[in-house]
Amino acid sequence: MPKQGVISNQVFKGSRPFPHATIAGGFMFVCFTGRDREGRFAIGDVRAQTQQCIDNIRTVIEEAGGSLKDVVKCTVYVTDRANWEPMNEVYFANFAEDGPHRVSCIVTGLGSPDCLVEIDATAYLGDKAG
């Protein structure tokens, strides 16, 4: 099964050689932290970072012809138990109806000390993929 890396000009691109997403077999695999387009985090604001994660995911999926409704699974990583409920408020406001399967983890850290949340999403795009 061929795979295709996807890079968007609408979201932050770090210095590492990773695509923003990979499409294979009708699925899109995409993962983001809460960095804005310029690479900044909303320092100490898990709600803003969660929304930015979801906005970044939405942007890349929409560029491929899909929408958040195509997301079938998310894994959410949060760095502090105190941020659990604020993250959930934003997450469920975006995935309120017929939301994806979700796995959640509280972790001791992510790639940057300013990063409070990271979301890994899988969307099924079917024939739209590619």
Side-chain angles (χ1 to χ4, degrees), residues 28-32 57 61 71 73-75 95 119-123:
M28 175 179 266
F29 304 91
V30 58
C31 184
F32 278 102
I57 290 166
I61 290 173
V71 175
K73 180 184 181 290
C74 285
T75 302
F95 292 110
I119 301 175
D120 179 22
T122 302

Side-chain angles (χ1 to χ4, degrees), residues 9-86:
N9 293 325
Q10 302 302 310
V11 294
F12 175 72
K13 176 72 172 103
S15 61
R16 303 284 186 222
F18 304 121
H20 288 118
T22 300
I23 296 174
F27 287 93
M28 175 179 266
F29 304 91
V30 58
C31 184
F32 278 102
T33 61
R35 287 184 190 265
D36 67 14
R37 192 170 179 183
E38 287 74 41
R40 299 175 301 224
F41 288 104
I43 304 299
D45 187 345
V46 72
R47 285 180 177 89
Q49 287 192 29
T50 302
Q51 187 60 58
Q52 187 66 58
C53 285
I54 294 168
D55 290 346
N56 292 341
I57 290 166
R58 176 187 293 114
T59 295
V60 173
I61 290 173
E62 286 179 354
E63 284 182 11
S67 74
L68 284 182
K69 290 182 184 237
D70 295 314
V71 175
V72 295
K73 180 184 181 290
C74 285
T75 302
V76 180
Y77 304 91
V78 180
T79 59
D80 189 323
R81 189 172 299 281
N83 289 330
W84 188 258
E85 283 307 316

